[in-house]
Structures are given as structure tokens and as C-alpha cells.
Amino acid sequence: MSKAEKIYSFDKSMELFHRAARTIPGGIYGHFSPTITVPGSFPYYTAEAKGCRYLDVDGNEMIDYMCAFGPMVLGYRNKTVDSAAATQQALADCTTHPGVVMIELAERLVELIPTADWAFFGKNGGDMTTYAILAARAHTNRKKIVMVRGHYHGVAPWCTALGFGGIIPEDHYQIIQVDWNDLDEFEKVVAEHRGDIAGFIAQPYHHINFGDQIMPAAGYWKGIEQICRREGIVLILDDVRAGFRLSMKGSGDYFGFEPDLSCYCKAIANGYALSACVGRRELMNAASKVFFTGSFWTSQVPMAAALATLSELERTDAPGRMKETGTLLGDGLKELGRQYGLEVTFSGPPAIPFMRFTEDRDFYWQQIFCSEVTKRGSFFHPHHNWFISTAHEQEDIEETLNHAEAAIKVVKREI
Ligand SMILES: Cc1ncc(COP(=O)(O)O)c(C=O)c1O
């Protein structure tokens, strides 16, 4: 039987999920929650991972197109990164004082990212986006933050939607939302609140769930930059998801604009817990006045892992490779769509793509397709953008396209 014909089952995953739900709220929470996928059609627990593949608890081997929702960028258990981490682990990790590695990493980011004169470290992306808005307020002595409707910046109350547990309207009191790619709306908001806006924060492009990824319109970022400079508004780039997958110099450089503050996380340390905010010299004094810290924020192992990850990404031209691999996947899926008469929209940068069927109105076809691909051994998330790593090789893409062809036949039958 060919690999494409073998259908996985996920009984052990299901059993563990039910067990977890007795002692863990929601069983698996947040963006890792399996409740938005088709129950029984996706694995819920990982047993082992290497390169671009993992074994789930049912013993199924998966080619992973979520890469731990982004952090895995060089492949699971990358030897170079893990050995740098192990060397540091043998010396010191969570200690009373930081290590020299913290200074080395700050210097490395300053050397790498054109708009970075300093760096600050935390653990999660959301730590850094919240730190950045506090730094913007400290710098400007203003209160309001403008963000883009639908952009995700983590789980702090200021950026979590009403309707989620515990969020109250007052959490959004000084937050104003504008539409993506709408310079006129931003101008209008600036005119209404002149002198009161501390910062504008956005992702480098519109990466939303349940929808196509929308790139910046021509002139959008330059326009935002000009308005921010004219009005003394701090321009904050949330590069948590796209950072180091599009360009080693950050997505500001990639899209041709200069943020005042940029936030990094996911791909910075190939799975070791670390995030960073980098900024321009003018903001350094204000940034030093923000009180922001955590028990593990100076841990040395993730910083050593980050130094090794950045070197490996640079040495292997990782953004270029991921673009090529993602393009191969996208071209293959579009071709399958043509062959079977189901047009495919492949949106976003090829290294962080999203696919859906153009005529699929309610994601029903998508649910069938992604669960059928997954049951054959390639994990495609039905609603969230996917991630490519440098560990995905041409043979992996070819194997996935076989899974996709078998799945598309099922979609044709079911719709
Ligand atoms: C653009 C963006 N910003 C911020 C975050 C929050 O990062 P974290 O989940 O590490 O707090 C994410 C996470 O998905 C993200 O994609």
C-alpha cells in the first residue's frame, strides 16, 4: 500500500484529550486547542519530533506544516542549535545574574536589524508587544494606541477581543482600531486624537485566521511611516510571526519601511523560549523606564540557542530556501486544483502561506480537505496560516502533494 493510501486514526490522541480535560481547563488551550478542527481527524499530542516530521501518540508520522505554530524554523532537534543550547546548559541557565550571552545576543540583533540600536528580551511574543506599547507611552507621554482590526498581538487584555473570558470594555479604553491597508482611516483617527496617540502597532501584513493573507498595498507602509513621523507617533512592527522567515533584517526591511520598535519571537531560537523587542536609539531611555520582567527572562540557554539559530538561518539563506519550498508547495496545490476543477487560492508569503478553495464559502471543503490530508500524513491546519521550515525538502513536498491529491478526490466526492 502506498503512503498516500494509508489512513491514520487518532484514538490515543482522543483518549488523552478526554483525560486532560479532567485536570486542565479546556484540555488543550489557546491556539493549540483542537476544538476548531474536525474531531478525530487530527492528532492532538506529539510523542517525538525530528526535522520537519513528528510522531503523534498513535504512532502516526506527520510532515508538519505548522512548525509548532512558527517556532520550529530549522527543523526539530536541529543539531547545531541543540548543541549550542547543551553547551550553555552545562554552564548555567536560570541564574541570579544574567550571562554574557545576553549582551552577545543584543549585539547580534543590533548588527542584523537595520532599525535596531538596542534589544530587550522576554519569553513570548505577547510579552514584547505589550512591552512595546508601554515603551511608546513612556517615550511620548501619551495614552492611546492604534491597532489594526483583526491583528493578533498576544493575550494581554489590551489586545484580546471582548467576549473572551475576563475581558472588560475598560481594557480597551485607550485602544483605537483601524482597518488594514486603510491610510485614510488612520489619518482620520490621527486628526481626531492629535497629540494623544502614543503608538501604532501592526503585523507586517494581514495574517488572519479563516481568510486569505493580505499583503500591504503599494505605499501603505511608507504612508504609515510618514504619518507617524509627522505626528510623533511611535511605529511598532509586530514581527513575531514573520520575523526571520521573510528576511534576516526583519520585515520592516523586507517591506521597505523603518519601524521604531520591532517585536520578535517564534523563529528566533528554533523552539527555545525567547522573545525580543528591538528599537531605535531615541527610544532607549524611555524603554529603560518601563518596569517589565519575569522569572525566566534572563535564562541563558534560549539565548545561546538564539545565537546559533540566527547564524544557521543566515548561513543557509533560510528565508530564500523557505520561499522556494513554499512556492513549490503552492504551485503543486494550485496545479492539483486545476486538475480536479477546484480552484485554489494560495495567499501570503510562500514561507508562511495559507490555502483555501476559492469557491468554498464556509470552510466546509477546507475542513474535509485538511482532515483528509492530515489522515494521510501531512498536517494542514484548516483555518490558520501554515509555516514552512528549512527542514522541508523537495521529497517532503512531493509526498505531501500525493496526500493532497488523494484528499482532493475525497473533497470532490463529498461536495
Ligand atoms: C503576530 C503575532 N503577534 C504576537 C503573537 C503572540 O505571541 P505569543 O503567543 O508567543 O505570546 C503572535 C502569536 O501567534 C503573533 O502571531
Side-chain angles (χ1 to χ4, degrees):
M1 194 187 260
S2 81
K3 261 200 161 214
E5 287 163 326
K6 186 169 173 233
I7 308 290
Y8 292 165
S9 63
F10 304 102
D11 301 340
K12 183 90 180 146
S13 264
M14 254 328 192
E15 194 186 308
L16 285 169
F17 184 59
H18 286 128
R19 177 175 152 201
R22 289 199 280 275
T23 49
I24 299 169
I28 303 173
Y29 36 73
H31 59 295
F32 296 99
S33 170
T35 52
I36 53 166
T37 55
V38 180
S41 295
F42 293 88
Y44 293 179
Y45 291 92
T46 306
E48 219 181 298
K50 180 137 184 52
C52 69
R53 296 180 184 235
Y54 64 89
L55 274 186
D56 72 9
V57 286
D58 284 276
N60 302 314
E61 184 178 298
M62 289 288 167
I63 305 176
D64 191 354
Y65 290 93
M66 288 311 289
C67 298
F69 285 78
M72 187 280 268
V73 65
L74 291 168
Y76 294 112
R77 280 158 62 198
N78 175 276
K79 278 207 178 100
T80 309
V81 176
D82 287 0
S83 124
T87 304
Q88 183 60 55
Q89 182 75 64
L91 297 171
D93 183 21
C94 180
T95 46
T96 305
H97 316 289
V100 178
V101 67
M102 184 167 172
I103 307 170
E104 289 170 353
L105 183 56
E107 289 168 351
R108 182 76 166 102
L109 290 170
V110 165
E111 171 195 289
L112 207 54
I113 301 167
T115 54
D117 293 313
W118 53 267
F120 182 94
F121 302 105
K123 288 286 111 184
N124 289 295
D127 301 337
M128 293 302 98
T129 52
T130 294
Y131 173 75
I133 70 160
L134 297 181
R137 284 176 174 156
H139 180 68
T140 56
N141 229 349
R142 300 175 183 174
K143 292 178 182 167
K144 295 196 188 303
I145 300 292
V146 180
M147 64 177 280
V148 175
R149 263 179 212 102
H151 278 200
Y152 183 66
H153 300 300
V155 293
W158 68 267
C159 57
T160 301
L162 278 177
F164 284 108
I167 303 298
I168 55 175
E170 286 83 346
D171 289 326
H172 301 163
Y173 175 47
Q174 300 291 358
I175 307 294
I176 302 170
Q177 299 203 350
V178 294
D179 277 341
W180 172 245
N181 266 343
D182 193 339
L183 274 178
D184 293 341
E185 192 183 7
F186 185 48
E187 276 285 23
K188 210 169 127 223
V189 162
V190 166
E192 265 168 39
H193 302 280
R194 183 148 280 129
D196 214 7
I197 300 175
F200 172 82
I201 183 166
Q203 302 160 353
Y205 63 93
H206 203 50
H207 37 70
I208 47 163
N209 285 343
F210 293 96
D212 298 336
Q213 315 295 291
I214 307 170
M215 302 311 265
Y220 175 71
W221 271 121
K222 266 290 163 206
I224 291 284
E225 186 182 334
Q226 276 160 10
I227 298 167
C228 286
R229 298 277 179 271
R230 189 188 74 209
E231 302 289 335
I233 296 168
V234 175
L235 175 47
I236 306 165
L237 170 64
D238 178 354
D239 216 2
V240 165
R241 194 176 309 190
F244 308 119
R245 264 197 170 78
L246 303 184
S247 162
M248 293 308 295
K249 296 178 174 181
S251 303
D253 193 77
Y254 184 83
F255 287 113
F257 70 100
E258 296 190 337
D260 295 307
L261 298 171
S262 307
C263 306
Y264 293 93
C265 181
K266 300 213 180 257
I268 198 170
N270 202 47
Y272 289 83
L274 189 80
S275 57
C277 177
V278 304
R280 286 146 80 93
R281 171 90 36 218
E282 305 87 278
L283 279 100
M284 195 168 181
N285 188 34
S288 72
K289 296 192 172 128
V290 176
F291 186 70
F292 218 61
T293 182
S295 295
F296 301 100
W297 286 18
T298 55
S299 292
Q300 301 184 44
V301 168
M303 293 183 183
L307 280 170
T309 300
L310 294 171
S311 294
E312 275 304 280
L313 289 170
E314 207 171 31
R315 185 185 69 75
T316 57
D317 178 29
R321 278 190 57 190
M322 287 185 276
K323 184 176 178 187
E324 265 175 40
T325 311
T327 303
L328 202 63
L329 176 69
D331 289 350
L333 290 170
K334 282 187 272 186
E335 179 50 34
L336 280 177
R338 266 191 294 276
Q339 249 172 284
Y340 287 88
L342 291 175
E343 195 197 335
V344 160
T345 300
F346 196 72
S347 61
I352 320 169
F354 185 63
M355 182 218 117
R356 67 180 185 88
F357 295 104
T358 315
E359 306 288 316
D360 181 9
R361 303 213 172 278
D362 52 9
F363 276 75
Y364 176 60
W365 305 0
Q366 180 81 352
Q367 288 277 17
I368 302 173
F369 177 70
C370 290
S371 60
E372 291 298 326
V373 175
T374 302
K375 282 194 271 178
R376 286 162 173 81
S378 295
F379 182 33
F380 277 179
H381 198 292
H383 312 133
H384 191 288
N385 71 257
W386 308 338
F387 294 91
I388 302 293
S389 77
T390 61
H392 289 88
E393 303 281 353
Q394 189 171 338
E395 309 85 79
D396 302 306
I397 303 298
E398 283 162 7
E399 197 175 323
T400 293
L401 291 173
N402 284 338
H403 299 155
E405 180 163 14
I408 217 166
K409 287 180 187 167
V410 180
V411 177
K412 280 287 274 192
R413 242 192 354 254
E414 298 272 329
I415 60 175

mmCIF file of all heavy atoms in Angstrom, residues 31 69 123-127 129 151-155 203-204 207 238-242 265-266 275 384-385 387, ligand 1:
data_model
loop_
_atom_site.group_PDB
_atom_site.id
_atom_site.type_symbol
_atom_site.label_atom_id
_atom_site.label_comp_id
_atom_site.label_asym_id
_atom_site.label_seq_id
_atom_site.Cartn_x
_atom_site.Cartn_y
_atom_site.Cartn_z
ATOM 1 N N HIS A 31 -4.382 28.783 21.081
ATOM 2 C CA HIS A 31 -4.301 28.459 19.658
ATOM 3 C C HIS A 31 -3.939 26.997 19.401
ATOM 4 O O HIS A 31 -4.071 26.521 18.287
ATOM 5 C CB HIS A 31 -3.349 29.407 18.926
ATOM 6 C CG HIS A 31 -1.936 29.401 19.467
ATOM 7 N ND1 HIS A 31 -1.616 29.821 20.715
ATOM 8 C CD2 HIS A 31 -0.772 29.027 18.897
ATOM 9 C CE1 HIS A 31 -0.310 29.720 20.906
ATOM 10 N NE2 HIS A 31 0.233 29.235 19.822
ATOM 11 N N PHE A 69 3.445 26.101 15.361
ATOM 12 C CA PHE A 69 2.864 27.431 15.136
ATOM 13 C C PHE A 69 3.965 28.475 14.940
ATOM 14 O O PHE A 69 3.822 29.621 15.337
ATOM 15 C CB PHE A 69 1.886 27.831 16.257
ATOM 16 C CG PHE A 69 0.562 27.100 16.163
ATOM 17 C CD1 PHE A 69 0.443 25.779 16.589
ATOM 18 C CD2 PHE A 69 -0.568 27.726 15.642
ATOM 19 C CE1 PHE A 69 -0.767 25.089 16.480
ATOM 20 C CE2 PHE A 69 -1.784 27.044 15.535
ATOM 21 C CZ PHE A 69 -1.883 25.723 15.956
ATOM 22 N N LYS A 123 9.957 36.190 27.007
ATOM 23 C CA LYS A 123 9.741 34.757 26.685
ATOM 24 C C LYS A 123 8.801 34.565 25.512
ATOM 25 O O LYS A 123 9.037 33.751 24.645
ATOM 26 C CB LYS A 123 9.157 34.027 27.905
ATOM 27 C CG LYS A 123 10.100 33.814 29.036
ATOM 28 C CD LYS A 123 11.107 32.719 28.748
ATOM 29 C CE LYS A 123 12.487 33.322 28.595
ATOM 30 N NZ LYS A 123 13.525 32.382 28.225
ATOM 31 N N ASN A 124 7.650 35.298 25.518
ATOM 32 C CA ASN A 124 6.626 35.099 24.492
ATOM 33 C C ASN A 124 6.462 36.355 23.648
ATOM 34 O O ASN A 124 6.836 37.459 24.084
ATOM 35 C CB ASN A 124 5.291 34.749 25.149
ATOM 36 C CG ASN A 124 5.320 33.353 25.738
ATOM 37 O OD1 ASN A 124 5.430 32.365 25.008
ATOM 38 N ND2 ASN A 124 5.261 33.264 27.040
ATOM 39 N N GLY A 125 5.860 36.178 22.471
ATOM 40 C CA GLY A 125 5.646 37.325 21.592
ATOM 41 C C GLY A 125 4.800 38.389 22.263
ATOM 42 O O GLY A 125 5.064 39.592 22.149
ATOM 43 N N GLY A 126 3.775 37.916 23.003
ATOM 44 C CA GLY A 126 2.871 38.860 23.669
ATOM 45 C C GLY A 126 3.564 39.691 24.743
ATOM 46 O O GLY A 126 3.149 40.819 25.037
ATOM 47 N N ASP A 127 4.618 39.158 25.343
ATOM 48 C CA ASP A 127 5.393 39.973 26.301
ATOM 49 C C ASP A 127 5.927 41.209 25.586
ATOM 50 O O ASP A 127 5.911 42.324 26.112
ATOM 51 C CB ASP A 127 6.625 39.207 26.833
ATOM 52 C CG ASP A 127 6.280 37.912 27.550
ATOM 53 O OD1 ASP A 127 5.151 37.797 28.026
ATOM 54 O OD2 ASP A 127 7.159 37.030 27.610
ATOM 55 N N THR A 129 4.984 42.648 22.603
ATOM 56 C CA THR A 129 4.054 43.637 22.046
ATOM 57 C C THR A 129 3.532 44.537 23.165
ATOM 58 O O THR A 129 3.375 45.741 22.981
ATOM 59 C CB THR A 129 2.890 42.948 21.289
ATOM 60 O OG1 THR A 129 2.287 41.973 22.126
ATOM 61 C CG2 THR A 129 3.377 42.279 20.021
ATOM 62 N N HIS A 151 -5.835 42.062 13.921
ATOM 63 C CA HIS A 151 -4.432 41.662 14.106
ATOM 64 C C HIS A 151 -4.252 41.053 15.491
ATOM 65 O O HIS A 151 -4.831 41.519 16.467
ATOM 66 C CB HIS A 151 -3.489 42.857 13.926
ATOM 67 C CG HIS A 151 -3.209 43.127 12.487
ATOM 68 N ND1 HIS A 151 -2.130 43.853 12.048
ATOM 69 C CD2 HIS A 151 -3.882 42.752 11.373
ATOM 70 C CE1 HIS A 151 -2.151 43.912 10.722
ATOM 71 N NE2 HIS A 151 -3.206 43.260 10.300
ATOM 72 N N TYR A 152 -3.434 40.009 15.538
ATOM 73 C CA TYR A 152 -3.207 39.287 16.796
ATOM 74 C C TYR A 152 -1.874 39.732 17.384
ATOM 75 O O TYR A 152 -0.847 39.691 16.701
ATOM 76 C CB TYR A 152 -3.188 37.774 16.516
ATOM 77 C CG TYR A 152 -3.038 36.940 17.765
ATOM 78 C CD1 TYR A 152 -4.049 36.923 18.725
ATOM 79 C CD2 TYR A 152 -1.899 36.181 17.998
ATOM 80 C CE1 TYR A 152 -3.918 36.170 19.884
ATOM 81 C CE2 TYR A 152 -1.758 35.419 19.145
ATOM 82 C CZ TYR A 152 -2.776 35.416 20.089
ATOM 83 O OH TYR A 152 -2.651 34.672 21.233
ATOM 84 N N HIS A 153 -1.905 40.179 18.636
ATOM 85 C CA HIS A 153 -0.661 40.606 19.281
ATOM 86 C C HIS A 153 -0.406 39.869 20.591
ATOM 87 O O HIS A 153 0.418 40.313 21.391
ATOM 88 C CB HIS A 153 -0.702 42.110 19.542
ATOM 89 C CG HIS A 153 -0.853 42.934 18.300
ATOM 90 N ND1 HIS A 153 0.063 42.910 17.268
ATOM 91 C CD2 HIS A 153 -1.838 43.786 17.896
ATOM 92 C CE1 HIS A 153 -0.336 43.719 16.296
ATOM 93 N NE2 HIS A 153 -1.487 44.254 16.641
ATOM 94 N N GLY A 154 -1.129 38.760 20.827
ATOM 95 C CA GLY A 154 -0.958 38.024 22.075
ATOM 96 C C GLY A 154 -2.230 38.068 22.898
ATOM 97 O O GLY A 154 -3.306 38.384 22.375
ATOM 98 N N VAL A 155 -2.098 37.766 24.188
ATOM 99 C CA VAL A 155 -3.301 37.569 25.010
ATOM 100 C C VAL A 155 -3.446 38.605 26.132
ATOM 101 O O VAL A 155 -4.264 38.421 27.040
ATOM 102 C CB VAL A 155 -3.320 36.149 25.617
ATOM 103 C CG1 VAL A 155 -3.501 35.112 24.528
ATOM 104 C CG2 VAL A 155 -2.044 35.867 26.412
ATOM 105 N N GLN A 203 0.957 44.031 12.372
ATOM 106 C CA GLN A 203 1.745 42.965 11.772
ATOM 107 C C GLN A 203 2.249 43.479 10.418
ATOM 108 O O GLN A 203 1.634 44.385 9.847
ATOM 109 C CB GLN A 203 0.855 41.738 11.536
ATOM 110 C CG GLN A 203 0.182 41.210 12.798
ATOM 111 C CD GLN A 203 -1.038 40.335 12.508
ATOM 112 O OE1 GLN A 203 -1.490 40.198 11.385
ATOM 113 N NE2 GLN A 203 -1.566 39.737 13.556
ATOM 114 N N PRO A 204 3.308 42.892 9.875
ATOM 115 C CA PRO A 204 3.835 43.407 8.596
ATOM 116 C C PRO A 204 2.886 43.233 7.420
ATOM 117 O O PRO A 204 2.921 43.979 6.459
ATOM 118 C CB PRO A 204 5.111 42.588 8.380
ATOM 119 C CG PRO A 204 5.001 41.406 9.293
ATOM 120 C CD PRO A 204 4.144 41.821 10.442
ATOM 121 N N HIS A 207 -2.180 38.864 8.523
ATOM 122 C CA HIS A 207 -2.295 37.400 8.623
ATOM 123 C C HIS A 207 -3.381 37.071 9.632
ATOM 124 O O HIS A 207 -3.197 37.105 10.831
ATOM 125 C CB HIS A 207 -0.979 36.685 8.902
ATOM 126 C CG HIS A 207 -0.002 37.333 9.826
ATOM 127 N ND1 HIS A 207 -0.184 37.461 11.164
ATOM 128 C CD2 HIS A 207 1.224 37.854 9.589
ATOM 129 C CE1 HIS A 207 0.883 38.015 11.708
ATOM 130 N NE2 HIS A 207 1.740 38.282 10.792
ATOM 131 N N ASP A 238 4.919 44.434 14.730
ATOM 132 C CA ASP A 238 4.793 43.129 15.375
ATOM 133 C C ASP A 238 5.267 42.065 14.381
ATOM 134 O O ASP A 238 4.507 41.559 13.566
ATOM 135 C CB ASP A 238 3.337 42.887 15.798
ATOM 136 C CG ASP A 238 3.161 41.501 16.425
ATOM 137 O OD1 ASP A 238 4.131 40.719 16.405
ATOM 138 O OD2 ASP A 238 2.060 41.213 16.910
ATOM 139 N N ASP A 239 6.553 41.741 14.485
ATOM 140 C CA ASP A 239 7.178 40.782 13.565
ATOM 141 C C ASP A 239 7.297 39.402 14.221
ATOM 142 O O ASP A 239 8.154 38.608 13.843
ATOM 143 C CB ASP A 239 8.570 41.315 13.181
ATOM 144 C CG ASP A 239 8.934 41.013 11.734
ATOM 145 O OD1 ASP A 239 8.101 40.423 11.024
ATOM 146 O OD2 ASP A 239 10.050 41.374 11.322
ATOM 147 N N VAL A 240 6.444 39.160 15.215
ATOM 148 C CA VAL A 240 6.518 37.917 15.990
ATOM 149 C C VAL A 240 6.358 36.692 15.086
ATOM 150 O O VAL A 240 7.084 35.708 15.220
ATOM 151 C CB VAL A 240 5.436 37.926 17.098
ATOM 152 C CG1 VAL A 240 5.212 36.539 17.685
ATOM 153 C CG2 VAL A 240 5.821 38.902 18.207
ATOM 154 N N ARG A 241 5.413 36.759 14.153
ATOM 155 C CA ARG A 241 5.143 35.586 13.312
ATOM 156 C C ARG A 241 6.054 35.530 12.077
ATOM 157 O O ARG A 241 6.523 34.472 11.685
ATOM 158 C CB ARG A 241 3.676 35.604 12.861
ATOM 159 C CG ARG A 241 3.235 34.293 12.287
ATOM 160 C CD ARG A 241 1.758 34.270 11.940
ATOM 161 N NE ARG A 241 0.874 34.707 13.017
ATOM 162 C CZ ARG A 241 -0.449 34.590 12.996
ATOM 163 N NH1 ARG A 241 -1.044 34.027 11.960
ATOM 164 N NH2 ARG A 241 -1.182 35.027 14.015
ATOM 165 N N ALA A 242 6.300 36.678 11.463
ATOM 166 C CA ALA A 242 7.005 36.686 10.172
ATOM 167 C C ALA A 242 8.522 36.887 10.321
ATOM 168 O O ALA A 242 9.272 36.585 9.390
ATOM 169 C CB ALA A 242 6.415 37.779 9.281
ATOM 170 N N CYS A 265 9.813 36.816 18.027
ATOM 171 C CA CYS A 265 9.665 35.660 18.924
ATOM 172 C C CYS A 265 9.839 34.386 18.103
ATOM 173 O O CYS A 265 10.953 33.979 17.829
ATOM 174 C CB CYS A 265 8.319 35.696 19.651
ATOM 175 S SG CYS A 265 8.090 34.335 20.795
ATOM 176 N N LYS A 266 8.739 33.849 17.639
ATOM 177 C CA LYS A 266 8.643 32.500 17.064
ATOM 178 C C LYS A 266 9.945 31.905 16.534
ATOM 179 O O LYS A 266 10.459 30.952 17.084
ATOM 180 C CB LYS A 266 7.597 32.526 15.973
ATOM 181 C CG LYS A 266 6.234 32.941 16.545
ATOM 182 C CD LYS A 266 5.124 32.302 15.850
ATOM 183 C CE LYS A 266 3.788 32.711 16.405
ATOM 184 N NZ LYS A 266 3.179 31.707 17.270
ATOM 185 N N SER A 275 11.808 35.792 23.376
ATOM 186 C CA SER A 275 11.282 36.846 22.500
ATOM 187 C C SER A 275 12.155 38.079 22.674
ATOM 188 O O SER A 275 12.908 38.192 23.651
ATOM 189 C CB SER A 275 9.823 37.150 22.841
ATOM 190 O OG SER A 275 9.689 37.527 24.193
ATOM 191 N N HIS A 384 -5.762 28.290 10.099
ATOM 192 C CA HIS A 384 -4.621 29.132 10.483
ATOM 193 C C HIS A 384 -3.582 29.046 9.383
ATOM 194 O O HIS A 384 -3.447 28.004 8.745
ATOM 195 C CB HIS A 384 -4.048 28.580 11.803
ATOM 196 C CG HIS A 384 -3.052 29.478 12.473
ATOM 197 N ND1 HIS A 384 -1.775 29.677 11.997
ATOM 198 C CD2 HIS A 384 -3.147 30.224 13.595
ATOM 199 C CE1 HIS A 384 -1.130 30.506 12.801
ATOM 200 N NE2 HIS A 384 -1.936 30.864 13.777
ATOM 201 N N ASN A 385 -2.823 30.123 9.172
ATOM 202 C CA ASN A 385 -1.770 30.040 8.157
ATOM 203 C C ASN A 385 -0.778 28.929 8.515
ATOM 204 O O ASN A 385 -0.652 28.543 9.673
ATOM 205 C CB ASN A 385 -1.035 31.380 7.998
ATOM 206 C CG ASN A 385 -0.142 31.726 9.173
ATOM 207 O OD1 ASN A 385 -0.482 32.551 10.005
ATOM 208 N ND2 ASN A 385 1.000 31.081 9.262
ATOM 209 N N PHE A 387 3.243 27.130 8.209
ATOM 210 C CA PHE A 387 4.641 27.577 8.283
ATOM 211 C C PHE A 387 5.530 26.561 7.563
ATOM 212 O O PHE A 387 5.370 25.356 7.737
ATOM 213 C CB PHE A 387 5.115 27.666 9.734
ATOM 214 C CG PHE A 387 4.419 28.727 10.554
ATOM 215 C CD1 PHE A 387 3.277 28.425 11.276
ATOM 216 C CD2 PHE A 387 4.905 30.026 10.615
ATOM 217 C CE1 PHE A 387 2.625 29.380 12.038
ATOM 218 C CE2 PHE A 387 4.266 30.991 11.372
ATOM 219 C CZ PHE A 387 3.128 30.677 12.087
HETATM 220 C C1 LIG B 1 1.748 38.446 15.023
HETATM 221 C C2 LIG B 1 1.775 37.870 16.401
HETATM 222 N N1 LIG B 1 1.974 38.685 17.439
HETATM 223 C C3 LIG B 1 2.022 38.231 18.707
HETATM 224 C C4 LIG B 1 1.831 36.896 18.973
HETATM 225 C C5 LIG B 1 1.851 36.407 20.378
HETATM 226 O O1 LIG B 1 2.963 35.598 20.578
HETATM 227 P P1 LIG B 1 2.977 34.575 21.808
HETATM 228 O O2 LIG B 1 1.905 33.573 21.537
HETATM 229 O O3 LIG B 1 4.346 33.990 21.768
HETATM 230 O O4 LIG B 1 2.725 35.392 23.035
HETATM 231 C C6 LIG B 1 1.628 36.008 17.913
HETATM 232 C C7 LIG B 1 1.414 34.582 18.167
HETATM 233 O O5 LIG B 1 0.905 33.848 17.352
HETATM 234 C C8 LIG B 1 1.590 36.500 16.586
HETATM 235 O O6 LIG B 1 1.410 35.691 15.546
#
